[in-house]
Each structure stands twice: as C-alpha cells, then as structure tokens.
Amino acid sequence: MKRCTKCGETKPPTEFYAAKGGIDGLRGDCKACHAARAKLWYAKNRQHVIERVARWQRENPERLRAYRRERNATRTREIREGHLRRTFGMTVRDYDAMLVAQGGGCAICGARPAQGQSFHVDHLGDRVRGILCIRCNNALGQFRETTEIAEVAVDYLASGGFANTGVYDLQVQARARAQGLVQVPG
C-alpha cells in the first residue's frame, strides 16, 4: 500500500504510475490526482496544445498517416459503430438486424456483402429505409429518387431498348448499318 502525496489516501501500488526516480519506482501522487491535475493544466493550456499537435501533424504527414493506418486497422468495428451512430443514429447491432430482416443481402437485388465488407445504409433525410449494395444505392441516386424515372427505365429494359417515341427501332438500324445494308448519311 502507498499513500498519495496529494489526496492523502492509502491505495494499492497499481493506482500509481511508474517513476524511475522514486524510491519505490512509483510516482508520489495517485493516478486519479495526476489525471485531475493534467485535466486542469490542459484546460488552461488548451489552445497551446492544439497548436502544437497541429504543427506536428503538418510537419510529419507520413508518420501521421502511418499511425492512423496502423491504429484504424485494429478498430474497424469500432469505427463502423461510430459512423453508424453519428450518421444514422443506429448501432452495428441495428444494422445487422436490418440485414437479417432483408434476408442477409441488398434490399433490392439480394446480393450479399463479401466477408468483412458492409453495404450502404439507404436513407431519405433522417429516415433509414434499408441496406443496399453499392450498385442499387447508386441506381436510386441516378434515378433521382423518383419512381417515374425508374418506371421508364423498367419499360426501356422490358422492351429491349426500343425508343419509346415509336419513330424508329435503334437496334434494327444499328444492326443494318453494321452489316452495311444501310448507308450512313454524311
């Protein structure tokens, strides 16, 4: 047991930081007192610390990038959890439950995410609608979130690409030009 020089409480040695210069190899103040003092110092010197860190980051971009890559490599689930909470107000557990409710894949095409990968959370404003693969998520954006454009695309695909004006069949004309049956004006 050791007595803290700041608060006077007697605590186990595990409650003190190591210090090479100490008689017993420990700091005189306990971890709680040290943390309180450090917090007070930071509050008084906050701007100085922020400037110093920003300067170091500017001067050491390669080391910063390497540090972040190494740190983030082991924190993928934690990073994903933070992103889902900040962006959509949901947890990884909510995401997983939604994916299971969709049959384990994209809500539109049914594709399943590769091992270790995740799909996009489809949302409209602050309302989460489902989990989508990148292709389906992009398609909704390309259709400008309107059913009218999506319906025209469905008609286009169902008709084999026939121009809906009814004036001419693009496929037939293109085939005829390729076979040399029709001369291209020009």
Side-chain angles (χ1 to χ4, degrees):
M1 298 296 278
K2 179 174 172 91
R3 177 181 229 107
C4 174
T5 57
K6 299 295 178 194
C7 66
E9 291 182 33
T10 303
K11 299 180 178 186
T14 56
E15 291 299 311
F16 294 84
Y17 289 114
K20 290 181 182 177
I23 296 171
D24 57 1
L26 301 172
R27 288 183 57 96
D29 56 343
C30 67
K31 290 179 179 179
C33 291
H34 179 77
R37 193 174 86 243
K39 188 174 182 178
L40 191 64
W41 181 89
Y42 179 79
K44 291 178 183 174
N45 298 285
R46 185 174 184 272
Q47 194 58 41
H48 168 73
V49 173
I50 290 171
E51 290 168 2
R52 184 180 48 133
V53 169
R55 185 175 52 253
W56 184 91
Q57 289 177 344
R58 278 192 310 274
E59 293 170 357
N60 300 283
E62 306 86 27
R63 288 178 63 191
L64 177 63
R65 207 173 5 264
Y67 164 76
R68 286 179 176 165
R69 197 173 325 150
E70 183 180 317
R71 184 168 186 263
N72 291 345
T74 60
R75 301 176 58 238
T76 53
R77 186 165 176 94
E78 185 181 336
I79 290 168
R80 179 80 176 140
E81 181 84 37
H83 168 71
L84 290 172
R85 278 194 192 280
R86 283 187 312 276
T87 310
F88 308 109
M90 63 190 300
T91 63
V92 171
R93 179 180 257 154
D94 297 334
Y95 174 93
D96 292 342
M98 186 176 284
L99 195 60
V100 167
Q102 292 177 189
C106 172
I108 295 176
C109 71
R112 295 178 178 274
Q115 184 67 32
Q117 297 295 312
S118 59
F119 278 169
H120 295 269
V121 176
D122 179 43
H123 62 96
L124 188 60
D126 61 351
R127 191 175 130 250
V128 173
R129 300 188 293 191
I131 309 294
L132 302 179
C133 69
I134 190 166
R135 287 187 178 101
C136 292
N137 191 52
N138 287 343
L140 289 182
Q142 295 299 322
F143 290 145
R144 296 182 209 114
E145 302 281 341
T146 66
T147 56
E148 293 83 12
I149 296 174
E151 288 167 357
V152 170
V154 168
D155 290 344
Y156 177 82
L157 290 172
S159 68
F162 181 77
N164 64 1
T165 60
V167 176
Y168 55 88
D169 185 343
L170 295 174
Q171 288 178 333
V172 171
Q173 286 201 359
R175 209 171 293 120
R177 277 193 304 276
Q179 294 170 349
L181 301 174
V182 175
Q183 292 295 323
V184 178

